[in-house]
Amino acid sequence: MLQPSSRTGDCPLETLPHRNRFQRWIIFFSLCVAALWPPEAAGSMLNCHKTCICASNIVSCSKMNLTSVPIGLPHYTAVLDLSYNEIHVLKSEWTPAKLPNLHNLLLSHNNLHFLSSEAFVNVKHLRYLDLSSNTLKMLDEFVFEPLVNLEVLLLYNNQISQIDRSAFITMTNLQKLYLSQNQMSRFPVELIRERFRQEKLSLLDVSSNKIKVLPMDELQKLPAWLRNGLYFHNNPLLCHCDLYTLLAHWEIRKLNPVVDFKNDHTCILPGPQKTQVGVFNLSGESMNCSTFKESDEEAFLEQTIVLNCDAKDRNMVKTWTMPDDVLVTPESNQTARVLLDGSLQISQVRTEDSGTYTCFATSEAFNETIYVVLKVHNFTMHGAGETLNTAYTTLVGCLASVVLVLMYLYLTPCRCFCCPNKGKTRGEDSIHSSMLSVTPTHEDPALKAELNRHVAFIDSKDSQGQNGKLNPNGDEDDDDQDAEAGSLMKGKRKKSVAESISSVFSDTPMVV
């Protein structure tokens, strides 16, 4: 009887080792499954009741005194708030698993001073990144390279003094960039340069830095919608009239950087005192800059001109009206037409096209009216050149006339005292030189008589006729009749010579 009972009692003792062996296999299998479990599944292990606060796809770990990012974040996390902690370094493995749904990451107020070049490899779909109020000193070339979808980047209130010129080049969707309250001494001109700037960038804040010089040429070329979001106040800028002109233009257009921070736009006057003044005071006693006025558009006849509708918002519907309040429509047979970018093109400009053109820019947020005054010159561009050439030719002709008159007045033939025949005797004076003299000779009568003999048409001694009895040497013939006739002829010649010579070159006739 005891044997059966002993057999029955042996069964539990024999099966007990089998049960322990089964439990060992279960534990071993569980460890293998845990080791081979994908990292994404481990995210569900985050304790949202102690470490962070979870609300649907939002994980808030703010003000938890964290020194590193918690591991095991859910793969569905869309917003991760790690602000107000002590995360000093953001390494590449801060999130070993990819977070494809994460689009907002907040890391402000962490004393963060280092960013790995691969820190954002696993969060490529970020659209909002807040790194403000940390201790970052420089931005590397590749640190933001994976963030091709980022729209807003906050970097204000850091210690950034160096920014690589290609640090933001891959961020093609960037719309707002905040770089204020840093240590930058160079304006990041690559962000606004026409060929390289991000097409969607609408706000750039570089205020409260150490920038001394602005790229004026680039700023003047910016469209109004980008100027309306460019903030550079509270910088130690050097005072210049170009700076005043730029801001005065922005004030007329009521752009936000001037309307909101007009008193914060200051500059440093040149000189050892380093006096700080308001930019809008430069038109007074500071630098006596000229008051800025909007310039009007000018055109010539038969020219094609484009009038820009420089609105403050980029995406606005723009319509135009002519000077006589006629709406410009695509169907109308007009010389003016609205281009795709909203500007107005006028072909074959005429004088009656002068006047004020009005552009109405409308959007869901606000409306804006822009007036453009067009002045058309009453000649073609080529005709203006011909007019200039005619005026130039006339001026040259007048100058040549003045030169000829002066030459006539001051470069007349020499007087007798400088004539080349000065060494000749009185009796040898030539008839030619006597006739060129405009001043009558005031000599003795004998010399005058000799001069008269030279001027008269005198025949030789042997010539006969009416003048044959006249002796060229002044001697008279013995024949009384001939002497009387000779004396009469002598008196006639005296009178004729005086009249023929002196009266021609003198305003007052001489009577002998």
Side-chain angles (χ1 to χ4, degrees):
M1 295 294 297
L2 294 175
Q3 293 178 354
S5 60
S6 61
R7 292 177 182 176
T8 306
D10 292 339
C11 291
L13 295 175
E14 293 177 358
T15 57
L16 184 61
H18 294 284
R19 290 181 181 179
N20 292 337
R21 189 180 303 162
F22 180 73
Q23 291 178 355
R24 291 172 185 168
W25 276 104
I26 292 177
I27 295 173
F28 177 76
F29 180 77
S30 299
L31 292 175
C32 292
V33 171
L36 297 175
W37 197 256
E40 289 81 356
S44 60
M45 296 172 58
L46 176 67
N47 191 339
C48 288
H49 300 286
K50 295 182 180 179
T51 307
C52 301
I53 300 175
C54 301
S56 182
N57 58 356
I58 300 175
V59 178
S60 176
C61 305
S62 178
K63 298 181 180 180
M64 294 295 180
N65 295 323
L66 301 177
T67 57
S68 62
V69 180
I71 59 174
L73 294 172
H75 71 279
Y76 54 79
T77 303
V79 179
L80 177 59
D81 186 0
L82 297 170
S83 59
Y84 292 95
N85 284 289
E86 295 296 329
I87 305 174
H88 299 166
V89 176
L90 192 64
K91 299 180 180 180
S92 58
E93 63 273 10
W94 68 271
T95 170
K98 293 183 179 181
L99 301 176
N101 298 316
L102 185 64
H103 56 75
N104 281 32
L105 177 59
L106 290 77
L107 284 165
S108 62
H109 297 90
N110 271 282
N111 288 324
L112 184 66
H113 62 81
F114 175 76
L115 288 175
S116 172
S117 58
E118 298 180 354
F120 304 105
V121 172
N122 291 331
V123 288
K124 295 182 178 180
H125 299 280
L126 280 179
R127 296 198 304 268
Y128 183 94
L129 177 59
D130 186 1
L131 297 171
S132 62
S133 300
N134 285 293
T135 56
L136 297 173
K137 295 183 179 181
M138 62 178 300
L139 299 178
D140 188 53
E141 177 182 2
F142 306 103
V143 63
F144 300 121
E145 185 177 12
L147 303 178
V148 294
N149 298 308
L150 195 68
E151 299 175 359
V152 181
L153 177 58
L154 281 67
L155 289 166
Y156 64 87
N157 193 25
N158 274 277
Q159 300 176 9
I160 301 174
S161 59
Q162 297 181 4
I163 300 178
D164 192 275
R165 294 180 182 271
S166 59
F168 309 105
I169 195 171
T170 60
M171 305 170 71
T172 55
N173 290 295
L174 187 63
Q175 299 178 12
K176 298 180 180 180
L177 177 58
Y178 298 86
L179 290 168
S180 62
Q181 301 181 38
N182 278 285
Q183 304 295 321
M184 297 188 307
S185 59
R186 184 188 68 88
F187 185 92
V189 66
E190 60 275 1
L191 291 171
I192 63 170
R193 189 161 289 163
E194 186 174 2
R195 293 180 56 188
F196 306 103
R197 69 168 178 251
Q198 284 75 9
E199 292 296 330
K200 297 183 179 180
L201 185 65
S202 61
L203 188 146
L204 175 61
D205 186 0
V206 293
S207 61
S208 302
N209 276 276
K210 296 183 177 181
I211 301 173
K212 295 183 179 180
V213 180
L214 294 175
M216 301 302 299
D217 294 338
E218 302 292 342
L219 296 182
Q220 293 172 355
K221 297 177 183 178
L222 290 179
W225 57 266
L226 186 52
R227 283 179 285 169
N228 195 45
L230 179 58
Y231 298 86
F232 52 82
H233 55 276
N234 285 336
N235 274 288
L237 299 172
L238 300 178
C239 291
H240 198 276
C241 287
D242 289 344
L243 177 62
Y244 165 76
T245 301
L246 180 72
L247 292 178
H249 183 196
W250 292 15
E251 184 184 25
I252 292 175
R253 295 299 310 277
K254 303 298 180 184
L255 300 183
N256 292 335
V258 177
V259 174
D260 299 338
F261 299 97
K262 181 176 181 179
N263 296 329
D264 295 325
H265 283 281
T266 59
C267 61
I268 307 298
L269 288 174
Q273 301 297 330
K274 304 294 183 182
T275 305
Q276 186 178 21
V277 297
V279 174
F280 289 94
N281 296 329
L282 296 180
S283 60
E285 298 179 357
S286 299
M287 294 190 70
N288 196 23
C289 296
S290 301
T291 303
F292 179 80
K293 295 182 180 179
E294 287 280 7
S295 58
D296 299 333
E297 296 288 341
E298 295 184 357
F300 301 94
L301 293 179
E302 302 179 3
Q303 183 184 4
T304 299
I305 188 172
V306 177
L307 306 180
N308 294 322
C309 184
D310 199 10
K312 292 189 291 185
D313 194 358
R314 185 180 184 181
N315 300 317
M316 301 186 76
V317 179
K318 301 172 183 178
T319 57
W320 286 84
T321 58
M322 306 284 283
D324 48 359
D325 294 333
V326 176
L327 184 66
V328 180
T329 58
E331 296 80 10
S332 61
N333 187 15
Q334 299 172 335
T335 58
R337 66 186 184 94
V338 181
L339 302 179
L340 295 177
D341 60 352
S343 56
L344 183 68
Q345 177 181 302
I346 305 175
S347 302
Q348 299 295 320
V349 176
R350 303 166 297 176
T351 53
E352 53 266 27
D353 291 332
S354 298
T356 302
Y357 292 78
T358 307
C359 175
F360 299 97
T362 59
S363 65
E364 296 180 357
F366 64 95
N367 300 332
E368 188 177 3
T369 303
I370 301 172
Y371 300 96
V372 180
V373 180
L374 177 63
K375 178 182 178 182
V376 180
H377 297 284
N378 194 19
F379 49 84
T380 62
M381 187 174 294
H382 181 68
E386 291 181 350
T387 304
L388 179 62
N389 292 336
T390 303
Y392 177 76
T393 305
T394 304
L395 178 61
V396 172
C398 292
L399 293 176
S401 301
V402 171
V403 171
L404 291 176
V405 171
L406 293 176
M407 291 176 62
Y408 176 77
L409 293 177
Y410 294 100
L411 298 180
T412 55
C414 297
R415 305 299 183 187
C416 289
F417 60 84
C418 66
C419 292
N421 297 328
K422 182 178 179 181
K424 295 183 178 180
T425 60
R426 293 179 181 179
E428 296 174 350
D429 291 341
S430 65
I431 295 177
H432 181 70
S433 62
S434 299
M435 292 187 67
L436 291 178
S437 177
V438 296
T439 305
T441 306
H442 300 285
E443 299 293 344
D444 58 309
L447 180 61
K448 187 175 182 181
E450 293 178 1
L451 177 62
N452 289 337
R453 287 198 299 271
H454 285 291
V455 173
F457 295 96
I458 300 173
D459 296 336
S460 61
K461 288 183 180 182
D462 299 334
S463 60
Q464 301 295 326
Q466 184 177 359
N467 295 329
K469 299 298 180 179
L470 182 62
N471 191 344
N473 295 326
D475 297 335
E476 298 181 354
D477 199 282
D478 292 338
D479 192 348
D480 294 337
Q481 186 176 359
D482 293 338
E484 184 179 358
S487 63
L488 291 174
M489 293 300 297
K490 184 177 180 182
K492 285 184 179 181
R493 294 219 302 277
K494 277 179 139 182
K495 185 175 181 180
S496 63
V497 169
E499 291 177 354
S500 62
I501 298 177
S502 300
S503 61
V504 171
F505 297 100
S506 176
D507 295 334
T508 305
M510 296 180 62
V511 181
V512 181

